[in-house]
Amino acid sequence: LPDGSGTELARRLRADARTRELPIIMLTARAQESDKLGGFEAGADDYVTKPFSPRELLARVRALLRRAAPAATEEPVEIAGLKLDPKTFRVTGNGTPVDLSPTEFRLLHFMMKQPDRVLSRSRLLDNVWGDHVFIEERTVDVHIRRLRLALQPTGHDRLVETVRGGGYRFLPA
């Protein structure tokens, strides 16, 4: 890094509320135990020393992403006959295709990956739209309504529940 060390960068990332939860893998030539410990103490989630196998690095990145952002995995999700496949960007309800906008797709994916959890509007905004977007929380309500309308023909609209004063919940069945 031209402006400092990786441990300094990791400390800055962990100190900032916007990047605190960002997964960090340190990739370095510094292989001493004290260097590794310093990296972990600064907030690194993993530490890979050179030389390294690209396949091992890819495996470590995938493992870290599975732990850090389970909703971001590309594994299909199926609940009560409603199937969402992130790789193909397809949703089917009991075998019938469901047409969703990209935002509705991300919203449904995030909710299906966390069934039976109450998700506040602000949490949905941060995780579906991103924390860098400044839009009204009521925008979530509009997209939930559209999502329910799209799911209505297959009867899966009943799985998206409004929790008064809390937000929304995707029912597990």
Side-chain angles (χ1 to χ4, degrees), residues 82 98-101 104-105 107-108 111 119 121 124 140-164 167-171:
L82 183 64
V98 176
D99 188 36
L100 298 177
S101 73
E104 292 160 4
F105 183 89
L107 181 61
L108 179 62
M111 293 180 77
L119 302 168
R121 287 177 183 88
L124 289 168
V140 174
D141 300 340
V142 172
H143 285 277
I144 289 287
R145 184 173 47 80
R146 290 179 185 164
L147 177 60
R148 283 181 174 144
L149 284 172
L151 296 173
Q152 198 170 23
T154 63
H156 290 96
D157 57 315
R158 64 180 168 69
L159 298 177
V160 180
E161 180 183 62
T162 301
V163 178
R164 189 173 176 191
Y168 297 97
R169 172 179 23 228
F170 191 86
L171 299 174

Side-chain angles (χ1 to χ4, degrees), residues 73-86:
T73 62
E74 291 190 0
E75 297 300 316
V77 185
E78 186 169 0
I79 298 175
L82 183 64
K83 185 176 182 179
L84 182 145
D85 188 346

Side-chain angles (χ1 to χ4, degrees), residues 14-119:
R14 292 293 183 239
D16 187 335
R18 288 181 52 110
T19 57
R20 183 171 292 132
E21 301 298 320
L22 189 70
I24 298 173
I25 297 178
M26 293 188 126
L27 183 60
T28 179
R30 302 183 87 174
Q32 297 293 325
E33 182 181 21
S34 60
D35 296 322
K36 291 178 184 180
L37 292 174
F40 285 121
E41 288 171 3
D45 297 293
D46 202 351
Y47 195 98
V48 181
T49 59
K50 297 175 186 177
F52 61 89
S53 157
R55 289 177 37 185
E56 178 188 358
L57 179 61
L58 183 59
R60 287 174 181 263
V61 168
R62 285 184 178 147
L64 181 58
L65 289 176
R66 275 194 309 272
R67 288 190 308 271
T73 62
E74 291 190 0
E75 297 300 316
V77 185
E78 186 169 0
I79 298 175
L82 183 64
K83 185 176 182 179
L84 182 145
D85 188 346
K87 288 182 183 176
T88 61
F89 201 77
R90 289 193 180 118
V91 177
T92 57
N94 301 323
T96 304
V98 176
D99 188 36
L100 298 177
S101 73
T103 302
E104 292 160 4
F105 183 89
R106 289 191 314 271
L107 181 61
L108 179 62
H109 189 210
F110 184 71
M111 293 180 77
M112 287 181 76
K113 291 295 257 178
Q114 300 180 73
D116 212 26
R117 280 196 171 159
V118 177
L119 302 168

